[in-house]
Amino acid sequence: MSTLISNPFTALPGFDCYGCGPGNDLGFRMQFHVDGDAVVSTIDDPGMSRVGFPGLLHGGFASLLMDEIMIWAVLGLCQRMTMTATLEVKY
């Protein structure tokens, strides 16, 4: 049984995160759950507007998802807020 991680940012004025903002109609609107010792999430079909090469998610969006997942894993498992200082991606 998984437990939803409450998004602590939704009450902040102007909060419109592309990854996890529930009110961002263009974003992924991701929700995260703690399931045992793991943090899990699902995303809907990213759609044709987010492809880089036909049938493949654009690398920038893939990086965004990876960044979002790492932050929420720390929040869900350690109950600590963190931010990415550096992210290097090699494709």
Side-chain angles (χ1 to χ4, degrees), residues 33-68:
H33 297 79
V34 174
D35 190 0
D37 61 352
V39 171
V40 297
S41 180
T42 59
I43 60 168
D44 293 330
D45 181 345
M48 293 301 295
S49 65
R50 297 182 182 141
V51 300
F53 188 81
L56 297 176
L57 183 66
H58 188 280
F61 288 116
S63 297
L64 177 147
L65 294 174
M66 183 171 52
D67 181 51
E68 198 75 22

Side-chain angles (χ1 to χ4, degrees), residues 14-89:
F15 176 73
D16 199 24
C17 178
Y18 197 90
C20 67
N24 188 330
D25 293 334
L26 298 175
F28 286 101
R29 293 185 275 178
M30 298 173 77
Q31 291 186 326
F32 295 86
H33 297 79
V34 174
D35 190 0
D37 61 352
V39 171
V40 297
S41 180
T42 59
I43 60 168
D44 293 330
D45 181 345
M48 293 301 295
S49 65
R50 297 182 182 141
V51 300
F53 188 81
L56 297 176
L57 183 66
H58 188 280
F61 288 116
S63 297
L64 177 147
L65 294 174
M66 183 171 52
D67 181 51
E68 198 75 22
I69 291 165
M70 291 187 301
I71 298 296
W72 283 91
V74 172
L75 182 60
L77 297 176
C78 302
Q79 289 76 50
R80 299 191 85 173
M81 179 43 59
T82 187
M83 292 183 153
T84 303
T86 302
L87 177 65
E88 181 178 339
V89 180

